Amino acid sequence: MNGLYIEYSWWWMFFSILLCAGATYLLYTKKQVWTVNINRILIVLRFSALMIIMFLLLDPMFKSIERYFEKPIVSFIIDNSESMTATITQEKLNESIQSIKNEAEKLEEEGYKTKFYTIDGNQLEDGESLNDLSFDHKVTNISKSIQRLEELNEHENLAAITLVSDGIFNQGFSPLYLPSVVPIYTVGIGDTIPQIDLQVKEVYTNRVAYMGNKFPILAEIVNEGFVGKEVEVELTNRGKILSRKRYRINNEKGFEQVEFIVDAKKKGYQKFTVNVRTLDGEFSKENNSKSVYVEVIEGKEKILLIANAPHPDIKAIRSAVEKNKNYELHIYIPGLKMKDGKGYDNKAKYDLVILHQFPNIKRNAALLLEKLKKQDMPFWYIIGDNTNINTFNQMNPLLTIEGYRGQKDKVTPSFTDNFTYFTFPKEKKDLIQKMSPIEVPYGEYKINAGKVLVNQQIGSVKSTKPLLLMGEVGDVKSAVFVGTGLWKWRLQEGLLQSDEMAVDDLIGKVIQYLSTKTDKRRFRVNTTTAEYSDIEDVIIETEVYNDIYESIYGQTIDLTITDEKDEKMSYTYLNSSPYFKYHITDLEEGSYKYVASTILDGKKEYSSGSFVVRAMELEALNPTANFALLRGVSEKTGGSFYDNVTLDQLSQPLLNNKAPQRIHSEEKYKELGSNYWIMSLLFLLLISEWVLRKMYGGF
């Protein structure tokens, strides 16, 4: 309620009255030159002025309550995706939009407020922007659009949502499962009769292929209404036809899978396009082709496993390695020939050597080990009964085992907390720590370099002796597993019926760490991912280091991007902060190469790479409107469905059951000291007193 309030207790007014009265009494009780009546007037003027000043010092405020009414809001979502113009002409679509505007105007005349949004949540400010709306959005996520609109109008008087769409969505979940706080009215646009059409719905292939290898490309061709017709499908690369296949359609509606086998002949990203020859009467030709990109690389990383003798650990390591298609494992056991032919290849360039119980006591393959050691090859030592510990101590830079006399300890694994070379999930650590004990050499362990991932645990006692450690010395990585028995852990994990694949993951992580080359470049430019869609920004990350590999900033980066037609695009940006990322927009479909350069210590440094931009073709996959979905959304939320015939009735339910206005109350406080009238009164009192005193001889 309205009223007058002060900052302090009203008791201060009582003391203020006494103070003002006392001050006035002392001033005007002395004998004066003016008359008694004039003296009384001066007393009133001075007392009133002092009281006003004291009252203002108590910070008085006037409280008022203002009420205003908020109109109910009807928000319209206009689906501006490409599929909206697939089955109807732009002219008919414009007529429907104009009818919707007319219905919105009827609502506004009856006290509603209307808002218009696109499918991605952008608000259209006026009717003119609705007339100029382009139906070119690449994807449709109806559920997300409704959720976003409700969030935007969360604190407003939202009465209803009107969704204008063809009912086709290709991202997110079905809007039928989306709860809504207001009724959703739907307007169906498009044709619900399936169109006679032939389309390449999807193309499946490997993301990576190796030079010289063959790989499959599988195309899924969808048919609607062409039974008995012969279809011709061809595969092209850079405009050249690689293969052509034909088949006859046996069903009125369905799909056929067509497989091509391709040779990986050229390094880099390769674009392969599947084309279906157009048949007479097809609804759309735009969906008769689809492209995929395959990165062709020189070859797999080769891993050489040298073993003292056949051992179950070899199979365990092999199973883990073969899960990664980027690795090729060669096994060499002196005196044995591998049946699959993947033994030691003296012409191969190996990326990692695994030594299982090597160097051994018999000094087998000593010359081979010496040769590999001179090549600065990463080694993973797995110690067993036949390992020559003295030679091992001389060969590896990480660990020294002293005092070994053939005695063994039975230990279980215990993971450390300070290992930083890679991450390993806690649930997998817990699983491995439950594994049965393995035998390790008994002796004094001295860690010379590297970090320990797993320590030895004897019974319930956690020791500081390493079971698995790895590190890098002189740009060469190494790892040591003190013991054999990986196969036991892997077998036990299978008996536990675990889906974690923890042992395989541990082996894979160690191999990945060892085989990955250390990047010592001071200038690195990379994209955040190898593939982008044409509706995404390409994001460039930049790393610049000084001589001691500390990150530095403030460098000007020149970036040149080259497309498939050898056309170049140049960009320049500043590497300004640790979190800075450079965004490149509006790149069309294709494979791109980039070269970045900057000046470091007066020398020009370069970094290069490649990436792919894929076309989003989701809107072309399904040209048939889904009015059943729209009806279901309206029925579930208490709204109604309309089509072109009944569109002029869209406003009727809202006009017949008009939503109430929302009343808002707001308390407002205004300081009396800021009012000109009270300051004017104070000035008038003081100036009147001064004038009377002057007139009657008071100074």
Side-chain angles (χ1 to χ4, degrees):
M1 56 183 297
N2 299 339
L4 188 63
Y5 295 84
I6 61 174
E7 185 84 8
Y8 307 95
S9 171
W10 283 100
W11 280 101
W12 284 102
M13 285 300 300
F14 175 74
F15 295 111
S16 298
I17 293 171
L18 294 178
L19 183 61
C20 294
T24 306
Y25 175 81
L26 292 174
L27 182 62
Y28 286 107
T29 53
K30 294 184 296 182
K31 187 174 181 181
Q32 305 292 350
V33 297
W34 47 73
T35 64
V36 174
N37 289 333
I38 295 299
N39 195 60
R40 289 172 179 169
I41 294 172
L42 290 173
I43 288 173
V44 172
L45 292 174
R46 172 57 63 95
F47 178 78
S48 299
L50 290 177
M51 278 300 302
I52 291 174
I53 293 172
M54 291 299 296
F55 185 60
L56 292 178
L57 289 176
L58 295 177
D59 196 15
M61 291 178 289
F62 185 77
K63 174 186 173 183
S64 61
I65 298 177
E66 295 186 4
R67 294 181 175 85
Y68 62 93
F69 297 89
E70 182 184 5
K71 293 181 179 180
I73 299 172
V74 178
S75 291
F76 291 78
I77 300 175
I78 308 297
D79 182 355
N80 60 320
S81 60
E82 292 178 344
S83 64
M84 287 283 283
T85 56
T87 58
I88 63 171
T89 63
Q90 186 69 46
E91 182 181 359
K92 288 186 177 180
L93 183 58
N94 291 339
E95 290 176 1
S96 298
I97 295 297
Q98 184 59 48
S99 299
I100 291 168
K101 286 177 60 179
N102 295 338
E103 293 300 298
E105 290 173 359
K106 292 179 184 178
L107 293 172
E108 290 186 347
E109 290 173 359
E110 295 298 325
Y112 282 93
K113 181 179 179 181
T114 60
K115 295 181 180 181
F116 287 88
Y117 297 86
T118 60
I119 196 70
D120 54 352
N122 295 325
Q123 185 173 358
L124 301 171
E125 297 298 336
D126 50 44
E128 294 300 322
S129 58
L130 185 60
N131 292 335
D132 299 333
L133 185 62
S134 298
F135 292 83
D136 56 2
H137 206 64
K138 299 289 185 182
V139 294
T140 306
N141 190 334
I142 296 178
S143 297
K144 185 177 180 181
S145 300
I146 296 174
Q147 286 178 317
R148 178 177 289 182
L149 188 143
E150 290 183 343
E151 289 172 1
L152 291 173
N153 294 272
E154 182 179 4
H155 302 294
E156 297 183 329
N157 189 14
L158 182 64
I161 295 172
T162 301
L163 173 64
V164 182
S165 175
D166 53 14
I168 301 171
F169 69 96
N170 40 50
Q171 279 192 352
F173 58 89
S174 172
L176 289 171
Y177 303 105
L178 179 69
S180 178
V181 296
V182 295
I184 299 177
Y185 296 87
T186 55
V187 178
I189 303 292
D191 195 343
T192 58
I193 300 175
Q195 306 295 326
I196 298 175
D197 198 23
L198 198 65
Q199 62 172 290
V200 183
K201 185 174 183 180
E202 194 57 79
V203 179
Y204 305 96
T205 188
N206 302 335
R207 290 179 176 267
V208 176
Y210 298 97
M211 286 279 287
N213 288 359
K214 296 180 182 292
F215 62 93
I217 294 180
L218 185 66
E220 192 174 90
I221 315 298
V222 176
N223 155 65
E224 183 76 55
F226 283 112
V227 63
K229 298 288 186 178
E230 187 177 76
V231 178
E232 183 176 282
V233 187
E234 61 184 24
L235 179 70
T236 64
N237 173 241
R238 294 182 177 271
K240 179 183 177 182
I241 298 176
L242 301 181
S243 182
R244 184 182 284 119
K245 293 190 176 183
R246 292 182 176 88
Y247 70 92
R248 188 169 297 277
I249 299 174
N250 297 319
N251 299 311
E252 186 72 22
K253 181 178 181 180
F255 71 92
E256 188 79 22
Q257 290 184 334
V258 179
E259 185 178 39
F260 300 94
I261 303 298
V262 184
D263 290 320
K265 295 180 178 179
K266 191 172 181 180
K267 184 181 176 182
Y269 281 102
Q270 299 297 316
K271 179 182 179 181
F272 297 93
T273 303
V274 176
N275 296 300
V276 177
R277 180 163 293 186
T278 306
L279 297 178
D280 293 337
E282 269 199 73
F283 169 74
S284 173
K285 300 177 182 179
E286 295 180 357
N287 54 16
N288 281 36
S289 66
K290 194 175 183 67
S291 300
V292 291
Y293 289 85
V294 179
E295 185 181 11
V296 179
I297 60 179
E298 287 186 352
K300 299 181 179 182
E301 291 190 0
K302 291 183 171 60
I303 300 171
L304 176 62
L305 192 156
I306 304 177
N308 176 74
H311 193 281
D313 275 355
I314 299 174
K315 187 177 188 309
I317 295 171
R318 185 178 204 166
S319 299
V321 170
E322 289 178 346
K323 286 186 175 181
N324 191 327
K325 295 182 179 180
N326 293 328
Y327 296 140
E328 181 179 306
L329 182 67
H330 293 189
I331 300 174
Y332 174 55
I333 301 176
L336 293 180
K337 185 177 181 180
M338 300 301 296
K339 291 182 180 180
D340 58 6
K342 290 186 179 179
Y344 171 65
D345 184 356
N346 58 7
K347 296 180 181 179
K349 183 179 179 182
Y350 291 104
D351 299 282
L352 168 64
V353 177
I354 302 174
L355 299 178
H356 191 274
Q357 303 191 66
F358 256 87
N360 64 1
I361 299 171
K362 297 179 181 179
R363 297 186 58 81
N364 291 340
L367 293 177
L368 175 59
L369 290 183
E370 186 177 346
K371 173 187 173 183
L372 296 172
K373 193 71 176 176
K374 288 180 180 178
Q375 295 176 2
D376 290 334
M377 196 78 64
F379 282 81
W380 182 8
Y381 301 87
I382 299 177
I383 298 176
D385 292 339
N386 292 289
T387 302
N388 188 325
I389 298 298
N390 292 329
T391 309
F392 163 79
N393 290 339
Q394 296 170 9
M395 281 188 63
N396 93 93
L398 303 182
L399 181 67
T400 301
I401 302 176
E402 298 176 343
Y404 174 64
R405 297 292 183 269
Q407 294 176 297
K408 302 286 185 181
D409 265 338
K410 285 192 175 183
V411 302
T412 54
S414 174
F415 281 84
T416 62
D417 297 325
N418 59 350
F419 187 82
T420 57
Y421 295 157
F422 56 78
T423 59
F424 197 66
K426 183 179 182 303
E427 59 271 14
K428 295 186 178 183
K429 290 181 181 179
D430 294 340
L431 181 61
I432 291 177
Q433 288 177 159
K434 296 176 183 177
M435 298 302 175
S436 57
I438 61 173
E439 289 187 344
V440 300
Y442 174 79
E444 295 295 329
Y445 287 70
K446 180 182 177 182
I447 299 174
N448 303 315
K451 290 188 176 181
V452 178
L453 174 60
V454 186
N455 273 325
Q456 300 177 19
Q457 179 171 323
I458 305 170
S460 60
V461 179
K462 295 181 180 180
S463 73
T464 57
K465 292 181 179 181
L467 182 61
L468 174 60
L469 76 159
M470 58 203 78
E472 184 175 1
V473 177
D475 294 340
V476 179
K477 295 178 179 178
S478 303
V480 178
F481 186 78
V482 187
T484 58
L486 291 170
W487 68 275
K488 293 181 182 178
W489 291 357
R490 196 168 184 271
L491 182 61
Q492 189 174 359
E493 185 178 1
L495 293 173
L496 292 173
Q497 297 182 343
S498 169
D499 295 329
E500 296 289 345
M501 307 302 290
V503 179
D504 284 358
D505 195 20
L506 179 62
I507 295 171
K509 291 273 189 179
V510 175
I511 289 174
Q512 185 179 359
Y513 165 75
L514 293 173
S515 62
T516 302
K517 307 297 185 295
T518 304
D519 192 348
K520 293 293 184 181
R521 294 175 300 161
R522 292 176 56 194
F523 177 54
R524 310 172 196 172
V525 174
N526 298 290
T527 55
T528 54
T529 183
E531 296 182 5
Y532 297 90
S533 71
D534 57 358
I535 62 172
E536 293 179 295
D537 290 353
V538 175
I539 302 175
I540 305 293
E541 294 182 323
T542 305
E543 300 174 72
V544 186
Y545 301 94
N546 59 18
D547 289 333
I548 59 174
Y549 286 92
E550 295 174 332
S551 296
I552 56 177
Y553 308 97
Q555 294 74 31
T556 299
I557 312 298
D558 295 317
L559 179 68
T560 301
I561 295 179
T562 307
D563 63 14
E564 294 173 331
K565 301 176 183 177
D566 290 330
E567 295 180 355
K568 293 182 173 15
M569 295 162 280
S570 298
Y571 307 87
T572 300
Y573 62 92
L574 191 69
N575 181 37
S576 56
S577 70
Y579 310 105
F580 175 77
K581 291 179 174 61
Y582 189 66
H583 291 243
I584 300 174
T585 59
D586 300 328
L587 290 183
E588 297 179 350
E589 180 195 13
S591 61
Y592 295 84
K593 297 178 181 178
Y594 65 86
V595 177
S597 63
T598 192
I599 302 296
L600 285 178
D601 299 332
K603 181 183 176 182
K604 201 162 192 178
E605 301 284 348
Y606 294 90
S607 182
S608 60
S610 59
F611 61 91
V612 165
V613 176
R614 297 180 181 271
M616 292 289 288
E617 300 170 340
L618 297 176
E619 291 295 314
L621 294 179
N622 182 13
T624 306
N626 187 356
F627 288 0
L629 175 78
L630 300 178
R631 286 191 181 92
V633 171
S634 294
E635 289 174 3
K636 184 178 178 182
T637 59
S640 304
F641 170 79
Y642 302 91
D643 55 19
N644 281 330
V645 178
T646 59
L647 187 53
D648 58 352
Q649 303 173 22
L650 175 62
S651 60
Q652 289 305 312
L654 291 166
L655 296 178
N656 294 337
N657 301 288
K658 188 174 180 181
Q661 293 184 337
R662 185 182 291 176
I663 302 175
H664 294 272
S665 298
E666 183 179 359
E667 291 184 354
K668 290 190 175 181
Y669 292 87
K670 188 174 183 180
E671 294 183 351
L672 289 184
S674 63
N675 289 337
Y676 72 92
W677 61 266
I678 196 166
M679 300 305 294
S680 300
L681 176 61
L682 178 62
F683 176 77
L684 182 61
L685 292 172
L686 293 174
I687 197 67
S688 299
E689 181 187 6
W690 181 80
V691 169
L692 286 175
R693 289 174 64 93
K694 286 293 184 183
M695 287 177 59
Y696 291 98
F699 299 98

